[in-house]
Amino acid sequence: MTKDAIKPGKVRGIDHIGITVPDVEAATRFLSEAFDATIVYDTVADGLPRRSPEDLAAAVALNEAQRVIATRIVRLGDGANIELFEIEGTVPGVHGIGALGLQHFAVYCDDIAEVLRRVLAAGGRQLRGPNPLFGAEEGPGNAMHYVRAPWGTLIELISTPAGTAPGREMNRWQPTRS
């Protein structure tokens, strides 16, 4: 088998992450202004066919009091897609890395200061930073800075221009430079 052959059951990478937001249009505006996100397509929107509420609830773990209003796929640069969900009947959750489960996503930036400026202009909030990376990620210019989207999701801005420590089993993935 050649190295380019497809191995059955092979995982090729992250396709998307899903984020429930209070307003798909507002979230799209924020992601576009802060990170140049582009709309890939809508899967649930006015005028598009819908699955029955019962079928959808069973498929995506909604309760009877919740209803999907809109879903949209957006993409940031050369990375994975983000699926935005607007769901009627949502309740705020625990926001922070101290909670179990998925709690943030990271955006690779060549210039954290410029991306931070765009995040703030788009309505995001910053946490303390930028912070130098440490351990296997330590190096000149390697840094991260956490921010919050207007609806509360944690986003990490990260840059590793010096690379990461040698001697690891495989290289850390980074988006291609454009």
Side-chain angles (χ1 to χ4, degrees):
M1 184 190 301
T2 68
K3 72 175 189 174
D4 295 331
I6 295 176
K7 175 181 163 188
K10 178 179 173 29
V11 173
R12 292 174 51 195
I14 292 176
D15 178 77
H16 73 275
I17 59 168
I19 304 172
T20 299
V21 299
D23 180 316
V24 162
E25 295 300 332
T28 302
R29 270 191 308 280
F30 169 76
L31 293 170
S32 295
E33 292 171 14
F35 305 119
D36 292 327
T38 55
I39 296 172
V40 178
Y41 54 78
D42 292 335
T43 53
V44 175
D46 289 337
L48 293 177
R50 294 180 185 248
R51 294 166 88 177
S52 74
E54 299 79 20
D55 184 41
L56 192 57
V60 297
L62 293 176
N63 67 40
E64 304 83 39
Q66 296 174 317
R67 184 173 76 86
V68 176
I69 304 298
T71 61
R72 172 173 286 158
I73 302 288
V74 299
R75 183 173 319 134
L76 279 64
D78 184 33
N81 300 300
I82 297 175
E83 185 172 21
L84 301 172
F85 293 89
E86 182 177 336
I87 298 177
E88 184 178 90
T90 57
V91 294
V94 177
H95 300 287
I97 63 168
L100 293 175
L102 184 67
Q103 30 35 33
H104 80 279
F105 67 93
V107 176
Y108 190 88
C109 313
D110 289 321
D111 184 343
I112 287 180
E114 175 57 21
V115 175
L116 176 63
R117 184 196 65 72
R118 292 177 55 193
V119 166
L120 298 175
R125 300 181 322 250
Q126 66 177 323
L127 281 67
R128 185 175 57 194
N131 304 287
L133 294 174
F134 56 91
E137 298 175 327
E138 185 175 3
N142 289 2
M144 59 82 134
H145 196 144
Y146 275 84
V147 298
R148 284 199 185 273
W151 60 89
T153 296
L154 274 174
I155 304 169
E156 179 182 356
L157 309 179
I158 187 167
S159 188
T160 56
T164 55
R168 59 203 177 277
E169 290 184 29
M170 70 184 322
N171 291 326
R172 180 179 176 143
W173 177 86
Q174 288 184 338
T176 57
R177 287 186 179 253
S178 23

